[in-house]
Amino acid sequence: MRMYWYIPTSMLLSILRFWRLLEMPRLELCDVSKYYGRIKALEKVNLTVEDGEYLAVIGPSGCGKSTMLKVIAGIVEPTRGDVRVDGRSIVGLPPEDRGVGFIFQNLALFPHMTGLENSMYGLLTRETATDEALNMVRKLRMEFGFRARLSRLPGELSMGEQQEVAILRAVASGAKIMLLDEPLSSIDAKVAVEVRRKLREVVKSKGLTALHVTHNQEEAMSVADRIAVMRKGRILQVGKPEELYYKPRSPFVMAFVGDASFLTGTCRGGRAVVRGGYDLGPCDMPEGELIVIGVRPESIVFGRGIPGKVRLRSYLGSLIRYEVELENGDIVTAVSEEEQGENVKVWFEKYKVFKYPREGLTEALSPG
Ligand SMILES: Nc1ncnc2c1ncn2[C@@H]1O[C@H](COP(=O)(O)OP(=O)(O)O)[C@@H](O)[C@H]1O
Ligand SMILES: [Mg+2]
């Protein structure tokens, strides 16, 4: 009987161990800080990017996005903390030994090499036969539908074409981890939509792991499995696009991911009350607490509730976007399929209530 149990238990243990290996996260930042003198570019950043995951990083200019990628790539070393790939620290390793492909924000193509030589650079340093490298780059160029003439030097290409070469170079490098810093910023908006779809497809089909920095929230929402929102060197929230949209943990995340309006109010008798005494539903914060109420445009319903005036209307195609100044002075953004008159009444269907940050709403929403 003992024997009978002994074998399955040990088997179970090794299966568990194997399972853990399979589940081993691809890339981890553990309490990473990076200071440039007194500037805290990164402050105790913790982030795990799973094997095969496409993660987008968004946040205002100067919040540390590029620094985070540079720390992973080994271009700058962290002041504190560790960076691990498959559980092993890569801090101190030279960039070329880290298995990462990198698209820099300023592209950094080799100016004396043609587009083709630039694209093949990673392949050739790994001693892939020239013919093979050539075919691979040509195939990728076709797949992406790129137009850049690869016989030209970077100086003879437009910014968008240089960006194409940078994408080819990173993808062709054969690296398992792709670090993409604003990879589509110079590419024509319509083309960029195609290229980002292709980028995601390549990452998924080749089983790569991608960290894609962008200031374009729509790009992040459509390309990524998960999004990390950064502010002032910290990661505020990481989650699936819909999680960040429907469950933002702070007004900043709510404002940064999707459209949102904010009203200030007070928690009174378990209700959220805004200026003018309007009751916007339950509030579980302490009595008298100042609060911020964030509202998504589609949560605002026309027809009843607080009176207001339409200040601005924009036709978005199937929807019309309204900026409404409420009677109490607050301004909210709403959308409707129907044409609304000048004088409206609005109500809040689903709403999010946030604690009023001590430093104030303006401070809570400011980038730096
Ligand atoms: N080499 C550097 N020396 C000094 N300060 C730097 C350097 N690189 C970045 N910084 C500062 O670190 C902060 C984060 O920069 P960065 O990572 O480039 O932000 P982002 O990419 O989000 O715009 C900024 O305040 C920036 O001015
Ligand atoms: Mg940057």
Side-chain angles (χ1 to χ4, degrees):
M1 200 60 191
R2 253 190 173 176
M3 197 59 188
Y4 174 77
W5 280 110
Y6 176 70
I7 298 164
T9 311
S10 68
M11 266 175 68
L12 196 70
L13 278 176
S14 48
I15 289 169
L16 273 176
R17 217 169 288 137
F18 184 63
W19 190 249
R20 251 183 60 81
L21 272 177
L22 277 183
E23 291 235 305
M24 191 91 90
R26 185 83 203 165
L27 175 65
E28 285 169 292
L29 281 86
C30 312
D31 263 327
V32 170
S33 297
K34 174 66 193 176
Y35 302 161
Y36 295 107
R38 285 170 53 207
I39 297 172
K40 296 180 173 178
L42 294 175
E43 182 73 346
K44 297 198 178 117
V45 167
N46 285 289
L47 180 69
T48 302
V49 192
E50 301 297 337
D51 201 356
E53 186 175 31
Y54 204 122
L55 192 121
V57 181
I58 58 174
S61 181
C63 72
K65 305 181 295 295
S66 294
T67 301
M68 184 162 86
L69 294 201
K70 285 179 191 162
V71 163
I72 299 167
I75 294 154
V76 299
E77 292 297 345
T79 308
R80 266 193 291 281
D82 201 9
V83 182
R84 295 182 195 142
V85 172
D86 286 344
R88 273 192 219 103
S89 177
I90 56 167
V91 171
L93 283 184
E96 60 273 20
D97 294 342
R98 295 191 176 203
V100 300
F102 201 130
I103 300 180
F104 297 91
Q105 199 168 6
N106 58 5
L107 300 177
L109 298 175
F110 301 112
H112 58 286
M113 291 186 190
T114 64
L116 189 65
E117 287 162 348
N118 263 290
S119 310
M120 299 199 320
Y121 185 77
L123 286 170
L124 294 180
T125 51
R126 286 188 303 110
E127 289 158 16
T128 307
T130 316
D131 277 356
E132 209 179 304
L134 203 63
N135 283 337
M136 195 165 161
V137 168
R138 287 206 175 120
K139 191 163 159 258
L140 276 173
R141 179 176 178 268
M142 277 255 295
E143 279 182 40
F144 274 97
F146 285 159
R147 309 216 145 195
R149 296 242 195 96
L150 297 183
S151 55
R152 294 190 174 175
L153 294 172
E156 301 165 337
L157 297 171
S158 73
M159 277 307 285
E161 289 168 336
Q162 289 182 45
Q163 211 149 39
E164 293 181 2
V165 174
I167 291 174
L168 290 178
R169 184 172 68 175
V171 176
S173 73
K176 281 286 186 198
I177 298 174
M178 290 286 130
L179 305 173
L180 316 169
D181 199 350
E182 304 270 6
L184 308 172
S185 57
S186 301
I187 293 178
D188 173 75
K190 266 218 172 101
V191 180
V193 171
E194 278 309 309
V195 176
R196 78 187 183 207
R197 182 178 300 152
K198 195 68 218 170
L199 263 180
R200 185 180 160 87
E201 208 178 294
V202 165
V203 165
K204 290 294 167 183
S205 68
K206 291 185 190 288
L208 310 178
T209 300
L211 238 84
H212 177 142
V213 165
T214 173
H215 61 266
N216 180 338
Q217 53 141 303
E218 191 235 327
E219 183 175 307
M221 301 282 269
S222 61
V223 84
D225 299 313
R226 285 191 306 155
I227 299 175
V229 181
M230 285 185 74
R231 183 194 184 210
K232 292 187 192 173
R234 293 174 185 271
I235 292 181
L236 294 188
Q237 194 172 350
V238 190
K240 292 182 184 143
E242 61 272 26
E243 267 167 31
L244 295 188
Y245 192 83
Y246 291 111
K247 289 178 189 159
R249 273 195 233 122
S250 59
F252 185 85
V253 172
M254 185 166 193
F256 217 86
V257 179
D259 215 346
S261 314
F262 296 95
L263 297 92
T264 52
T266 317
C267 199
R268 264 192 231 132
R271 312 293 293 177
V273 182
V274 294
R275 264 191 290 175
Y278 296 103
D279 179 344
L280 292 195
C283 172
D284 58 7
M285 273 170 275
E287 178 70 18
E289 183 100 342
L290 292 176
I291 54 170
V292 169
I293 298 152
V295 194
R296 293 293 186 201
E298 66 276 15
S299 308
I300 297 179
V301 184
F302 286 96
R304 66 187 176 90
I306 311 178
K309 279 191 189 310
V310 171
R311 291 295 179 214
L312 193 74
R313 67 186 74 212
S314 340
Y315 292 88
L316 306 178
S318 54
L319 287 175
I320 310 167
R321 182 176 181 275
Y322 294 95
E323 234 175 81
V324 180
E325 184 174 348
L326 303 179
E327 184 194 60
N328 69 1
D330 284 320
I331 293 174
V332 294
T333 300
V335 286
S336 171
E337 288 174 14
E338 281 143 39
E339 191 76 51
Q340 305 289 336
E342 222 33 54
N343 295 304
V344 292
K345 281 186 174 169
V346 298
W347 198 242
F348 305 89
E349 202 173 39
K350 287 178 243 151
Y351 46 85
K352 296 270 169 203
V353 181
F354 297 100
K355 234 182 219 165
Y356 193 82
R358 226 186 316 170
E359 78 261 63
L361 180 60
T362 318
E363 174 57 25
L365 296 178
S366 88

